[in-house]
Amino acid sequence: MPGEQRPGRDLKRFVLPEIGQLLETGDPWAPCQLLDPLGRPVEPATVYFKDLIAADCSPLTPRSYGMDLLRWWRYLWAFGLEWDRATREDARDFTLWMKLADKPVRVHWRHRGKDPSEIPPPSRAGRPLPGTPNPVTGKPTIGKKYAPSTRAHFETVLRSFYEFHLERNTGSLLVNPFPLVRNRRSARANAHHNPEKEHKKQRTGLYRPTVPKRIPRRIPDDKYAEVFAGLRSHRDRALLAFWVATGARAEELLTSKQGDAIVGQQTIGVIRKGSREYQELPATPDAFVWLRLYQEDAWKKGVLRGRNQPLWWTLRRPWRPLEYDAARMMFNRANELLGSNWTLHDLRHTATFLMLDDPSMPPAYVQHILGHKHLATLDIYNRPTRDDVIAAGLAHHARQQQRRDSPPAALPSPTYNPDSLSVLFGGPLT
């Protein structure tokens, strides 16, 4: 309750327990369920998920929000707190813990139930330290702390969750533990904006961190060729070729059916992530060549064939449609050969850069191919990348050094033209 004194907590040594779970049911009416340590559904989360689905959110939204709710509920269970009696101090303490403490280390399923002393430490031979830049890509590796984007997403989800139940007058809830900033308690950002003036930067949540702007990165052509050569199967080569050719998101391409790949029109159909609309995307002939090689091998092994059957399958029995996690692991194995840390989303950035580098490709067409709602979304690709900035800086230093090593010859001092002087003084000067 508000004003209630909480006992002191030593969050410096607190470890988030792995209790409860977020269960994916596969049921479109309830795609996710948050379960307590006894396997019972958490009713407030169930009602919230149902409201998200009714609001026409993506089917992936309940899972994304559910991971944040599971993290919060584990904190509540660890200290014996009721969700509808959580105070601002509870939210503040957990937000501070997420900022300063190390992330929980997930124990591999082979070692679950063992004593911590019996679990071998993960091998990091030849790998950069967590949070340090990768020597190949320059991208920072995953650190030990929660990223600002993760903490910002958590704050937004929990604030909207409690706001939803406050409007419904659920339980004993009287205040939102995750409030807005003090000068904006009952309004959204720029609620009374004057259209004649520019928007002011206003923070929304009191405990929301500042998220640095990310600059999209492309995979250089030579490195892409090395990653492509490290793939093990025709299926993986076809996937990589389609991702770079179409610019589709990783999970969007995995939704394609066998009938969506139209060789004659050189297009492949996908289901868009946000709108859930069907869209045909242009691809390269090479991508369809690798696809055909993969399909011939897969059909000979017994993979189901038909226009309405999934296009991408696992490579081993029992045959199952290929999911995002398996595709990500496939790409990570190719990354390990180079010691790089590119992601599947970097393939989408690479495709975007290739299209925008073509002066004959209108940006409006690029926007439509990528499935962006606004053309202004492409502005992030107008910023100089890390490699471009470094290359320009090194070229500048090289030019300066060349000028110092080979200075230009001194210009002769200015003198009068002898012919002009002869005309002026009526004859040659002696």
Side-chain angles (χ1 to χ4, degrees):
M1 298 294 291
E4 182 180 351
Q5 295 295 326
R6 299 291 190 186
R9 304 186 187 120
D10 185 12
L11 293 178
K12 295 181 180 179
R13 298 178 177 82
F14 173 70
V15 178
L16 197 67
E18 289 192 18
I19 53 179
Q21 65 171 325
L22 183 68
L23 179 65
E24 296 186 49
T25 64
D27 183 4
W29 293 84
C32 290
Q33 279 190 338
L34 181 62
L35 305 181
D36 64 10
L38 300 179
R40 300 171 300 187
V42 178
E43 186 61 26
T46 302
V47 176
Y48 182 60
F49 292 156
K50 185 178 296 185
D51 189 76
L52 291 176
I53 299 173
D56 202 22
C57 290
S58 169
L60 301 176
T61 301
R63 183 185 183 277
S64 176
Y65 285 22
M67 297 302 296
D68 292 315
L69 292 177
L70 176 61
R71 190 179 295 118
W72 172 247
W73 244 268
R74 284 176 172 174
Y75 173 76
L76 298 178
W77 289 328
F79 290 100
L81 303 175
E82 297 293 336
W83 75 275
D84 56 347
R85 291 179 176 269
T87 63
R88 183 179 302 177
E89 288 73 18
D90 299 322
R92 178 203 61 195
D93 291 347
F94 188 63
T95 304
L96 187 63
W97 177 84
M98 289 187 65
K99 178 180 179 180
L100 300 178
D102 292 343
K103 292 184 294 186
V105 179
R106 179 176 296 181
V107 180
H108 195 276
W109 62 269
R110 293 190 180 93
H111 305 299
R112 289 180 181 174
K114 296 183 180 179
D115 187 84
S117 60
E118 300 177 359
I119 301 176
S123 175
R124 302 201 58 86
R127 298 182 180 180
L129 296 176
T132 59
N134 184 277
V136 177
T137 66
K139 295 176 56 177
T141 57
I142 299 178
K144 294 183 178 180
K145 309 290 184 182
Y146 285 104
S149 57
T150 302
R151 293 187 281 119
H153 190 269
F154 170 84
E155 189 275 339
T156 301
V157 170
L158 267 296
R159 178 162 42 84
S160 63
F161 168 79
Y162 276 103
E163 188 67 30
F164 166 75
H165 284 287
L166 272 175
E167 294 176 356
R168 290 172 51 90
N169 197 22
T170 306
S172 305
L173 193 64
L174 297 178
V175 295
N176 191 335
F178 296 86
L180 296 172
V181 290
R182 292 179 175 86
N183 60 345
R184 285 186 46 251
R185 290 296 169 80
S186 60
R188 58 179 174 83
N190 295 297
H192 304 286
H193 169 66
N194 185 345
E196 297 182 355
K197 299 181 180 179
E198 296 183 357
H199 284 81
K200 296 181 180 180
K201 293 183 179 180
Q202 296 185 359
R203 296 181 63 188
T204 52
L206 181 62
Y207 302 128
R208 182 179 179 84
T210 301
V211 181
K213 293 183 178 180
R214 295 181 179 179
I215 299 178
R217 296 177 181 268
R218 67 190 302 174
I219 304 178
D221 294 342
D222 56 339
K223 297 299 181 182
Y224 173 78
E226 294 182 23
V227 173
F228 194 86
L231 300 177
R232 302 179 180 180
S233 67
H234 294 323
R235 182 205 65 182
D236 300 343
R237 299 183 187 99
L239 276 169
L240 206 65
F242 272 109
W243 275 322
V244 174
T246 63
R249 298 177 180 88
E251 61 271 20
E252 290 177 345
L253 187 62
L254 298 178
T255 63
S256 299
K257 306 294 184 182
Q258 295 182 22
D260 295 331
I262 306 176
V263 182
Q265 299 180 7
Q266 205 170 308
T267 60
I268 186 170
V270 299
I271 301 296
R272 282 304 185 184
K273 177 183 177 182
S275 62
R276 310 306 298 171
E277 294 180 354
Y278 179 82
Q279 182 178 351
E280 294 181 352
L281 301 176
T284 59
D286 291 345
F288 286 97
V289 171
W290 291 114
L291 175 63
R292 190 60 179 180
L293 292 174
Y294 152 64
Q295 287 182 320
E296 290 294 338
D297 290 343
W299 290 335
K300 290 178 181 178
K301 295 178 181 178
V303 171
L304 296 179
R305 183 172 183 174
R307 292 184 54 84
N308 295 325
Q309 294 293 337
L311 181 60
W312 311 104
W313 295 81
T314 56
L315 298 178
R316 297 177 181 85
R317 295 178 183 273
W319 311 119
R320 299 183 304 273
L322 186 66
E323 297 182 351
Y324 173 79
D325 290 335
R328 177 178 55 84
M329 293 175 62
M330 170 272 295
F331 191 67
N332 288 343
R333 286 193 295 267
N335 268 323
E336 291 177 358
L337 297 177
L338 301 179
S340 57
N341 64 340
W342 282 299
T343 63
L344 291 177
H345 202 71
D346 289 331
L347 298 173
R348 176 175 167 87
H349 293 321
T350 302
T352 306
F353 277 113
L354 292 174
M355 287 186 284
L356 292 177
D357 289 344
D358 185 0
S360 300
M361 187 68 172
Y365 293 173
V366 180
Q367 171 202 354
H368 182 73
I369 292 175
L370 296 177
H372 289 316
K373 185 176 181 181
H374 302 289
L375 184 61
T377 310
L378 298 178
D379 291 345
I380 60 174
Y381 297 97
N382 294 328
R383 302 171 186 169
T385 63
R386 164 189 171 273
D387 296 336
D388 294 338
V389 171
I390 293 178
L394 293 177
H396 164 73
H397 295 315
R399 290 192 297 269
Q400 295 296 322
Q401 185 64 34
Q402 185 179 6
R403 291 176 182 175
R404 289 190 292 266
D405 296 341
S406 302
L411 297 175
S413 58
T415 58
Y416 288 103
N417 190 335
D419 296 335
S420 299
L421 293 177
S422 300
V423 173
L424 178 64
F425 293 102
L429 299 178
T430 57

